[in-house]
Structures are given as structure tokens and as C-alpha cells.
């Protein structure tokens, strides 16, 4: 068992022969973490100077590449605890130790499990310490707090794994400082990924302070606050087990993730019901995907001057076994949160290519471009241009009949990545539309930085301006003028009335999609419609690429 003595600066004062044997490069005066753990900083969460009794800590040691138990003993006789005896011992998991029931632990349990990255306690130690703290005070003064960073996986993709590790480590340091400030009235734990837990006094001010502290750390990477901490709080009452306290706080944190603002949510019993509902929905969706219960509905896009159809948008519907049709609002949000949306989207894109092929094979009908929706999860999970290339080839569909709709908010999230994708799609001959333009706040500004073929403006955007409709109309007019200058075509969506059409035409907008013309319809109906030549206009929507005088980057 290697043993050595270090001083307050982590310098090795003495090491035994076993240490020399295991770590041949060890020299007196060197700092321990460099020799024993190959790091340039003290091991995160080193408890060396915090204990005055023999206590073991479990670390992953990078030098020997396995977990070790480290114990620190202050040397009596040394002035003011100026020297510590450290012993390393190989960690051998024992089956009892893996027992998930920390309540069974006695306070004298001598192994602390610390996470090296964050310096925080792992679940078992956190639970043991928290339980012992809770026993000292009435239960109802306490809260369990779960912290979850929204879209943390995306943060890693966007800024890299190293930045992800750095932010977790900084949050760890920050929470450790809170624990120290609270002086025995707070315990902090880390369960991996972006899951942090705290047991602390149920004090609104303290909880908000922690939220602000974490936001400040993340702001250094992302000023737009796209990755906010989502906080779930459970005011402690009698409970079945310690884990159930954590689960309740976690459930509240999941609810916080759905919020646009005020992301501190207290647990409510109804959340358990919601969870059950989501679980059932998830199972039903997975089964539905397997059984091909999702179908393509098409909504025509029209020329506002002639009313003729210039293209279509494919929209998903879930046709249940009993024939009921479920609208996207009931399943898309769940699928987006869980990543299942990518399965649906690839399925939809393929169904559209299959339909286009079938229309091409059936000479009665004329081919019109069809747009499909691309979700943010697709951008990270797939090589989207490659998928479209493959599908176009497999079904022999000329890419100019394929259009993709990407919502404005996605552009704002990761402009560089999206721009690369859009560039490639357009190079391959696929038309790119920016969907829901005007719904965000950075819209006009954004137009300079991106290159798309067509802008889709939602008429709801006028309703959003409410009493201030004139202002909405002014903005709409300037968007149409700006797009015209940049030679980007504009299509208005959600067109419901004759008045809206007149207004749009006066402003110079030529295309529209909405209930005034057609509602989304099943494929069979659409095909009947486009089989009649007088209903369609095969010129489609001229876009930037085929516009005369089009110049890149205007
Ligand atoms: P979106 O892409 O903005 O699609 C337009 C939505 O507006 C459609 O709703 C359409 O039915 C609706 N709409 C069209 N005309 C009018 C109108 O005149 N008035 C009103 N009030 N609404 C109109 P839908 O089909 O319910 O789809 C909702 C959203 O779900 C879509 O919004 C899109 O974001 C998403 N979605 C639908 N299918 C898919 C899909 O296959 N993949 C992905 N990723 N998202 C999809
Ligand atoms: Ca769309
Ligand atoms: Ca839209």
C-alpha cells in the first residue's frame, strides 16, 4: 500500500519504498497530484485538508487507471496540521457497497465517493451525508433541489466536450462554495451528466441565488441563455426513500425545462400523473412508428393572384388504429424532446419521395415541389444533405422538387452549422425555406447572415402584435421589401381571409398557404386535386437560384 507525506502545498516530504516501486518517477519536493494523478492541478475535491480524522475518499486515478481509496491522516506533532500522511489503496467494489439503499448506511461509514470532474459527492455519499444532516432538524425546513441544464447535450455539440467538462467543473466549484458558506446546512451531490442535487434550507432567496450563479457561469459561453439551469424543488415531507425525494425534485426540474421563463418549479403531485401519461404516449408513439401509423398530409401553397397551386407542404398526422387522426401538436413536442422526431422526419421525407415517384409514374398528374420540415434534432443527429441525396437517388426524384423548411429559431441557435448545411443542400439542388420567419426577435438582422431561397412569414405574426396591428403591418411590409431587395421569394402562411390576401398583394407578396385556400389533406385527395391541370401552376415559386440577376450574398 503506497504511503507518502505531503505538506499544505501538496509537496511530497516523504514517500515509502512501495510508492517508489509503483511510481518510479516520484521525487521529493514534487507535488503529489502531478506524480500520482498526472494532472496539473490538485485533484478536484481533494479532501486532504478538510478532515481531522482518518477518512477514505474514492477517486479514479489516471496514473494506475483504476479507482483507488485514498485516506488522509494529519500527523500529530506536526505544527498546525502542516503535514498529512496519505495512503493509497486499490478500490475493490464489494457487493454490499453497491446497495442502493443509503439509509442503511451508518454515519461511521468511512468511504467518501467524490466525482473528480466536479469535486462533488456521488450519490451514495451525498445521500448518507444528507440523511445525517436531515436528522438534526425538523424535516419541513428543508428542500431537495435538482439542477438540470437545458439542452446540455447540445451545449457539448456546440462548444465541444472540453467546454462541457469545464462548465460542469465550474458549477461543481460554485456549488461546493455554497455548501461551505452554509456551514453544515447544505449538502451537494452530482450524479453524472448535468444532474446536480442539493439538500438545503427551503429558502426562495437561496434557491434564486444559486440559479443566478449558474446562469453567470454559462453566460461566459453562451450569451443568449439557450442553456439555462432548470431547477426542480421538493419541499421535504415524510417520504418513502431518499431516492424518491430526488426523483420528485427531478420531476419538477423536467417541468421547468418546458418553461420559457421562470425555470424554478416546485414539485406537485400531478407531475407523477403527467409522467405516467408521457410514458404511455412514448410507448404508443414508438409502436405507431413501427406500425407505420404516421401519414403524410399535404397542404397546397398558392399563387395569391391566380389561386393556383404552386407547391405543397408535407405535414405529419398520426392515424391511430381506430381511425382517429391526431394533430402534430399532440406528438411533435414529445418527439422533439426525446429525439424521436428524427425517426419521424426521415420517415416523412422518404414517404414524400415515394409519393413524388408515384406522381411521376402516373402521367395524369403534374409534378410540383413538396416541402418537408426539418427539426433541430435532425441537424445534430444526421447528415441532412446526405439523407436527401440518398433519398432523391433511391426514388429517382430530381432534387428541385424537394424543399426543406427550417424554422427561424434553429438558425439563431447555431448559425454556422446551419449555414453549412443550407449551403450543401442548395448546392445539391434542394430549395431551402426559412419557416416561421418573424416569430423570433432577431429576424431582420439575421437575413444578412444566411442564405435561403424562400422566406415563410406566418400571418399569426400580425395577430401577435395585437392592438398594435399597424406596427405589425409596417414590419411585414419592410420584411417583404427587404426580401425583395435580396431577391428572396416570400410566402405567407396561415392565410385565412380575403382581406389578408389583398393586403399581402398590395405589399408585393405573391404566394400564400392557408385555410382560405386549402386545409392540409390526405394524399389521395391532393392527388385528385392536382390531376386537374387548371388547378396548378407548374412555374412554382421562383427562388433566388433561378431568379434573373440573382447574385450570391446580396
Ligand atoms: P408549421 O411547419 O409552421 O406548419 C404550418 C402549420 O400551420 C400546420 O399545422 C398547418 O396545418 C397550419 N396552418 C396552415 N394554414 C393555416 C391557417 O390558415 N390558419 C391556421 N391557424 N393554421 C394554419 P400542423 O399541421 O398542425 O403542424 C403544426 C406544426 O407541427 C408545424 O408547423 C411543424 O412545426 C410541425 N410539424 C408538422 N409535421 C411535421 C413533421 O413531419 N416534422 C416536423 N419536424 N415537424 C412537423
Ligand atoms: Ca413548416
Ligand atoms: Ca410555419
Amino acid at each position: 500500500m503506497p504511503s507518502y507525506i505531503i505538506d499544505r502545498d501538496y509537496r511530497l516530504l516523504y514517500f515509502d519504498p512501495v510508492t517508489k516501486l509503483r511510481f518510479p518517477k516520484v521525487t521529493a519536493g514534487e507535488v503529489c497530484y502531478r506524480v500520482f494523478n498526472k494532472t496539473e492541478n490538485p485533484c478536484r475535491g481533494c479532501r486532504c485538508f478538510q478532515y481531522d480524522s482518518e477518512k477514505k475518499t474514492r477517486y479514479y486515478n489516471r496514473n494506475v487507471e483504476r479507482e483507488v481509496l485514498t485516506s488522509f491522516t494529519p500527523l500529530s506533532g506536526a505544527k498546525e496540521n502542516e503535514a498529512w500522511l496519505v495512503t493509497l489503496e486499490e478500490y475493490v467494489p464489494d457487493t454490499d457497497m453497491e446497495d442502493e439503499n443509503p439509509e442503511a448506511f451508518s454515519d461511521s461509514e468511512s468511504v467518501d465517493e467524490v466525482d473528480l470532474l466536479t469535486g462533488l459527492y456521488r450519490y451514495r455519499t451525498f445521500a448518507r451525508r444528507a440523511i445525517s444532516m436531515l436528522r438534526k432538524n425538523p424535516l419541513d425546513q428543508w428542500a431537495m433541489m435538482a439542477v438540470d441544464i437545458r439542452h446540455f447535450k447540445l451545449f457539448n455539440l456546440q462548444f465541444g466536450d472540453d467546454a462541457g467538462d469545464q462548465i460542469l467543473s465550474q458549477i461543481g466549484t460554485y456549488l461546493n462554495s455554497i455548501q461551505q458558506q452554509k456551514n453544515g446546512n447544505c449538502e451537494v451531490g452530482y450524479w453524472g451528466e448535468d444532474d446536480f442535487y442539493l439538500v438545503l434550507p427551503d429558502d426562495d432567496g437561496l434557491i434564486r441565488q444559486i440559479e443566478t450563479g449558474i446562469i453567470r457561469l454559462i453566460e461566459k459561453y453562451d450569451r443568449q441563455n439557450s442553456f439555462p439551469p432548470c431547477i426542480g424543488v421538493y419541499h421535504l415531507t415524510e417520504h418513502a426513500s431518499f431516492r424518491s425525494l430526488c426523483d420528485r425534485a427531478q420531476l419538477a426540474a423536467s417541468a421547468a425545462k418546458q418553461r420559457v421563463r421562470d425555470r424554478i418549479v416546485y414539485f406537485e403531485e400531478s407531475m407523477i400523473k403527467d409522467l405516467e401519461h408521457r410514458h404511455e404516449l412514448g410507448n404508443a408513439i414508438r409502436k405507431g412508428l413501427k406500425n407505420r401509423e404516421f401519414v403524410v398530409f399535404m397542404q397546397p401553397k398558392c399563387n395569391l393572384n391566380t389561386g393556383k397551386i404552386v407547391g405543397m407542404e408535407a405535414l405529419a398526422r398520426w392515424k391511430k388504429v381506430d381511425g382517429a387522426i391526431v394533430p402534430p401538436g399532440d406528438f411533435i413536442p414529445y418527439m422533439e424532446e426525446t429525439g424521436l422526431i428524427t425517426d419521424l422526419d426521415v420517415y416523412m421525407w422518404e414517404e414524400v419521395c415515394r409519393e413524388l415517384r408515384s406522381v411521376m409514374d402516373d402521367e395524369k398528374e403534374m409534378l410540383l415541389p413538396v416541402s418537408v420540415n426539418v427539426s433541430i434534432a435532425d441537424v445534430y443527429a444526421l447528415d441532412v444533405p446526405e439523407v436527401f441525396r440518398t433519398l432523391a437517388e433511391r426514388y429517382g426524384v430530381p432534387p428541385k422538387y424537394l424543399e426543406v423548411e427550417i424554422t427561424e429559431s434553429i438558425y439563431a441557435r447555431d448559425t454556422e452549422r446551419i449555414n453549412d448545411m443550407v449551403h450543401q443542400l442548395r448546392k445539391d439542388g434542394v430549395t431551402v425555406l426559412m419557416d416561421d420567419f418573424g416569430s423570433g426577435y432577431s429576424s431582420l438582422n439575421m437575413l444578412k447572415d444566411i442564405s435561403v431561397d424562400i422566406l415563410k412569414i406566418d400571418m399569426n405574426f400580425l395577430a401577435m402584435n395585437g392592438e398594435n396591428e399597424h406596427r405589425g403591418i409596417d414590419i411585414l411590409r419592410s420584411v417583404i421589401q427587404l426580401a425583395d431587395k435580396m431577391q428572396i421569394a416570400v410566402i405567407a402562411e396561415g392565410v385565412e381571409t380575403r382581406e389578408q390576401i389583398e393586403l399581402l398583394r398590395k405589399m408585393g407578396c405573391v404566394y400564400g398557404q392557408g385555410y382560405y385556400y386549402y386545409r392540409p389533406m390526405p394524399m389521395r385527395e391532393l392527388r385528385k386535386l392536382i390531376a386537374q391541370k387548371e388547378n396548378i401552376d407548374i412555374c412554382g415559386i421562383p427562388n433566388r437560384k433561378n431568379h434573373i440577376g440573382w447574385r450570391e450574398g446580396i
Side-chain angles (χ1 to χ4, degrees):
M1 189 193 306
S3 310
Y4 50 89
I5 297 173
I6 55 171
D7 67 9
R8 189 166 274 285
D9 297 324
Y10 303 92
R11 302 226 166 256
L12 284 156
L13 303 176
Y14 163 85
F15 46 88
D16 71 354
V18 185
T19 309
K20 181 75 186 167
L21 204 67
R22 293 284 289 276
F23 305 96
K25 290 193 179 143
V26 64
T27 47
E30 180 60 289
V31 288
C32 59
Y33 44 85
R34 205 171 290 146
V35 176
F36 301 118
N37 207 26
K38 289 187 183 163
T39 55
E40 285 306 310
N41 290 301
C43 304
R44 296 299 317 275
C46 174
R47 311 253 146 204
C48 186
F49 308 122
Q50 297 178 16
Y51 288 102
D52 51 7
S53 64
E54 191 170 316
K55 186 104 182 163
K56 289 177 184 172
T57 304
R58 183 171 136 197
Y59 289 115
Y60 180 80
N61 184 298
R62 298 213 285 183
N63 211 326
V64 292
E65 294 184 346
R66 69 180 77 113
E67 295 200 293
V68 294
L69 291 177
T70 312
S71 60
F72 308 100
T73 316
L75 293 180
S76 55
K79 183 162 58 93
E80 296 280 315
N81 285 353
E82 286 295 315
W84 283 262
L85 171 67
V86 186
T87 47
L88 301 182
E89 191 183 327
E90 194 170 317
Y91 170 67
V92 184
D94 109 26
T95 41
D96 280 355
M97 288 274 301
E98 299 307 317
D99 178 359
E100 283 299 319
N101 179 13
E103 282 91 338
F105 271 41
S106 69
D107 287 350
S108 62
E109 175 59 53
S110 63
V111 177
D112 273 343
E113 294 170 279
V114 176
D115 174 70
L116 261 187
L117 179 67
T118 57
L120 299 175
Y121 293 119
R122 306 289 308 191
Y123 174 69
R124 292 171 53 84
T125 306
F126 164 63
R128 176 165 41 78
R129 292 176 62 98
I131 289 165
S132 129
M133 180 177 81
L134 292 174
R135 281 196 188 120
K136 293 178 195 142
N137 294 284
L139 200 58
D140 67 356
Q141 291 176 1
W142 299 97
M144 170 73 77
M145 172 172 167
V147 183
D148 210 322
I149 313 297
R150 187 155 179 249
H151 298 312
F152 188 66
K153 288 195 180 76
L154 280 183
F155 181 96
N156 279 326
L157 284 164
Q158 201 165 323
F159 298 101
D161 289 345
D162 285 349
D165 282 356
Q166 265 169 33
I167 200 82
L168 292 176
S169 161
Q170 287 164 11
I171 294 173
T173 308
Y174 171 67
L175 294 180
N176 245 331
S177 74
I178 297 281
Q179 177 175 14
Q180 263 150 36
Q181 275 167 31
K182 290 278 121 194
N183 215 359
N185 272 327
C186 173
E187 285 295 340
V188 188
Y190 173 67
W191 299 14
E193 298 203 357
D194 57 331
D195 293 337
F196 297 87
Y197 288 83
L198 294 94
V199 177
L200 71 183
D202 192 354
D203 165 359
D204 199 45
L206 175 61
I207 292 168
R208 290 206 179 271
Q209 177 199 336
I210 295 174
E211 182 196 29
T212 311
I214 297 176
I215 290 175
R216 295 261 150 79
L217 294 172
I218 300 174
E219 255 172 12
K220 288 185 199 143
Y221 295 84
D222 173 68
R223 304 209 107 256
Q224 293 185 344
N225 199 19
S226 312
F227 307 98
C230 297
I231 292 175
V233 187
Y234 176 52
H235 179 84
L236 298 195
T237 52
E238 279 309 317
H239 58 92
S241 67
F242 187 77
R243 194 173 278 274
S244 76
L245 306 180
C246 301
D247 289 346
R248 281 162 191 233
Q250 179 57 45
L251 214 50
S254 307
K257 281 188 176 179
Q258 321 296 326
R259 295 249 185 117
V260 184
R261 72 175 88 81
D262 195 12
R263 292 196 182 84
I264 298 177
V265 173
Y266 272 78
F267 172 81
E268 286 165 27
E269 287 298 330
S270 63
M271 289 173 183
I272 293 181
K273 280 254 163 319
D274 289 350
L275 183 72
E276 284 163 4
H277 171 72
R278 278 172 64 81
H279 189 67
E280 282 161 19
L281 180 67
N283 283 342
I285 288 178
R286 277 183 206 91
K287 210 166 124 206
L289 274 171
K290 218 168 112 205
N291 298 341
R292 306 178 70 81
E293 289 172 20
F294 289 86
V295 294
V296 176
F297 267 45
M298 293 279 196
Q299 186 177 29
K301 297 172 187 171
C302 298
N303 182 314
L304 299 177
N305 296 318
T306 61
K308 292 194 179 191
I309 303 171
V310 292
M312 281 86 69
E313 175 176 9
L315 294 156
R317 295 290 182 272
W318 183 7
K319 197 169 172 197
K320 293 261 188 95
V321 190
D322 61 6
I325 303 275
V326 185
D330 291 359
F331 55 87
I332 297 266
Y334 176 88
M335 293 179 108
E336 281 182 332
E337 276 163 40
T338 53
L340 270 174
I341 191 73
T342 300
D343 296 284
L344 175 70
D345 282 341
V346 175
Y347 171 86
M348 289 286 292
W349 306 342
E350 176 152 20
E351 288 297 294
V352 164
C353 289
R354 196 197 306 278
E355 289 296 345
L356 281 169
R357 176 76 253 161
S358 154
V359 174
M360 281 164 80
D361 292 342
D362 189 345
E363 282 167 25
K364 287 200 302 295
E365 297 153 47
M366 304 290 278
L367 207 53
L368 287 170
V370 179
S371 64
V372 294
N373 290 285
V374 170
S375 137
I376 179 88
D378 304 335
V379 179
Y380 289 102
L382 306 168
D383 179 345
V384 175
E386 175 64 27
V387 177
F388 277 95
R389 267 197 299 275
T390 310
L391 289 174
E393 238 176 72
R394 184 179 302 159
Y395 291 92
V397 174
K400 67 174 175 179
Y401 293 111
L402 292 176
E403 303 185 337
V404 303
E405 300 197 1
I406 304 171
T407 60
E408 180 213 76
S409 57
I410 303 186
Y411 280 93
R413 285 268 276 284
D414 192 347
T415 312
E416 204 181 310
R417 193 182 182 105
I418 305 293
N419 250 343
D420 287 350
M421 182 185 82
V422 168
H423 183 74
Q424 188 57 50
L425 281 165
R426 298 179 72 218
K427 214 167 125 199
D428 295 343
V430 176
T431 300
V432 179
L433 289 82
M434 189 190 277
D435 203 355
D436 302 331
F437 187 77
S439 55
Y441 43 87
S442 52
S443 319
L444 279 174
N445 224 357
M446 213 156 75
L447 269 187
K448 307 193 293 326
D449 307 325
I450 46 128
S451 46
V452 291
D453 301 298
I454 300 173
L455 281 191
K456 272 189 111 169
I457 309 174
D458 199 323
M459 292 305 279
N460 257 331
F461 156 79
L462 288 186
M464 262 171 12
N465 281 271
E467 295 163 15
N468 214 344
E469 201 184 326
H470 285 296
R471 202 175 117 75
I473 291 176
D474 286 345
I475 299 174
L476 187 61
R477 185 178 294 113
S478 37
V479 168
I480 293 171
Q481 280 170 0
L482 188 66
D484 190 49
K485 262 201 200 117
M486 296 176 76
Q487 299 183 341
I488 303 175
V490 175
I491 173 164
E493 121 180 277
V495 177
E496 291 183 355
T497 63
R498 189 74 231 161
E499 292 75 54
Q500 286 177 335
I501 294 171
E502 289 311 323
L503 180 71
L504 287 163
R505 282 172 50 180
K506 262 195 233 142
M507 289 179 181
C509 175
V510 186
Y511 304 97
Q513 170 185 349
Y515 296 167
Y516 179 82
Y517 293 106
Y518 305 97
R519 286 187 175 249
M521 61 184 84
M523 204 57 219
R524 210 167 4 97
E525 249 174 73
L526 188 272
R527 292 198 49 170
K528 271 195 233 150
L529 196 64
I530 60 171
Q532 290 166 287
K533 268 197 193 139
E534 65 277 15
N535 286 338
I536 66 169
D537 171 359
I538 51 162
C539 292
I541 303 177
N543 61 50
R544 227 167 127 164
K545 277 175 297 180
N546 48 34
H547 226 274
I548 301 160
W550 170 71
R551 283 186 283 136
E552 179 87 57
I554 297 178

